[in-house]
């Protein structure tokens, strides 16, 4: 027998989940105010760990953002200006301009012309066990630099400002930048990354070593 009441309950439950998802993506009044402060065509200030309140924002976990919200487009544009205002920055995440939402910019050294590209709600769905060891700094952490292991290859999923979903494989230094910026979305700073990842299960090897030396 077809259970109408049971199916209606399921539909109602799914509708509530869907509405909760939409509401969770809505920017708050404070976020909208911050995104639109001053001249919307200029850079937003980059948050620093040396400021207690800004440091707290950098440590917060970011939520997804609605790619179709007009304020998201403004945030994306102003984040690019923030990155361009730096001396040699190759990536930036929304928490670094005070917005705990999942938006990043990355310089694509794996593409011709090394363009800057934005990514909304990026997710790393796969990481290689093979890793590289290399130096990293951070726009939000003055005078800090250290060596870190990062997966050599990642698979990334994200959407653009039209809500179109993409998936791609990224490797090398560009993959390192993606991993660094997506760490920001989880409140992970390189200054305390090693402490937070003591139980990292990835194989810590130098990917530049020859294959035969890695099997010994």
């Amino acid at each position: 027998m077809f259970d109408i009441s049971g199916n209606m309950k399921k539909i109602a439950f799914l509708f509530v989940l869907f509405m909760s998802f939409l509401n969770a993506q809505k920017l708050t009044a404070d976020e909208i105010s911050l995104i639109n402060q001053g001249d919307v065509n200029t850079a937003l200030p980059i948050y620093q760990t040396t400021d207690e309140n800004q440091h707290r924002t950098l440590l917060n976990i970011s939520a997804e953002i609605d790619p179709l919200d007009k304020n998201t487009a403004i945030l994306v544009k102003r984040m690019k200006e923030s990155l361009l205002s730096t001396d040699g920055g190759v990536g930036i995440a929304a928490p670094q301009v005070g917005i705990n939402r999942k938006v990043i910019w990355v310089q694509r050294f794996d593409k011709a012309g090394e363009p800057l590209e934005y990514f909304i709600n990026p997710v790393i769905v796969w990481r290689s066990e093979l890793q590289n060891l290399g130096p990293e700094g951070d726009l939000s952490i003055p005078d800090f630099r250290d060596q870190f292991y990062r997966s050599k290859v990642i698979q990334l999923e994200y959407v653009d400002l039209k809500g179109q979903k993409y998936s791609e494989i990224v490797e090398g230094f560009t993959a390192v930048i993606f991993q660094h910026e997506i760490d920001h979305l989880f409140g992970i700073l390189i200054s305390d990354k090693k402490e937070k990842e003591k139980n990292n299960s990835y194989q810590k090897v130098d990917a530049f070593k020859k294959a035969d030396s890695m099997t010994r």
Side-chain angles (χ1 to χ4, degrees), residues 133-204:
L133 176 65
E136 293 182 36
D138 195 291
L139 299 176
S140 295
I141 311 174
D143 305 319
F144 181 86
R145 200 166 181 82
D146 206 338
Q147 297 277 330
F148 295 92
Y149 281 100
R150 297 284 189 180
S151 293
K152 186 178 181 181
V153 186
I154 62 171
Q155 182 178 356
L156 182 77
E157 291 184 354
Y158 59 92
V159 298
D160 62 15
L161 284 169
K162 295 180 180 180
Q164 178 67 45
K165 187 174 181 179
Y166 299 89
S167 178
E168 63 177 299
I169 302 293
V170 184
E171 61 181 318
F173 182 50
T174 303
V176 170
I177 303 172
F178 273 110
Q179 291 169 84
H180 178 111
E181 301 309 333
I182 290 175
D183 269 357
H184 271 296
L185 305 182
F186 291 91
I188 299 172
L189 301 176
I190 57 172
S191 53
D192 56 11
K193 179 177 173 61
K194 289 184 178 179
E195 181 65 27
K196 288 186 176 182
E197 297 193 347
K198 280 183 175 179
N199 295 323
N200 190 341
S201 61
Y202 295 133
Q203 180 185 355
K204 293 181 172 64

Side-chain angles (χ1 to χ4, degrees), residues 62-82:
S62 294
E64 289 195 343
I65 193 169
D66 181 358
L68 303 181
D69 188 320
K70 64 179 182 180
N71 294 292
T72 301
I74 297 172
L75 173 62
V76 167
K77 178 174 66 174
R78 299 194 74 178
M79 283 176 61
K80 182 179 183 180
E81 294 301 318
S82 298

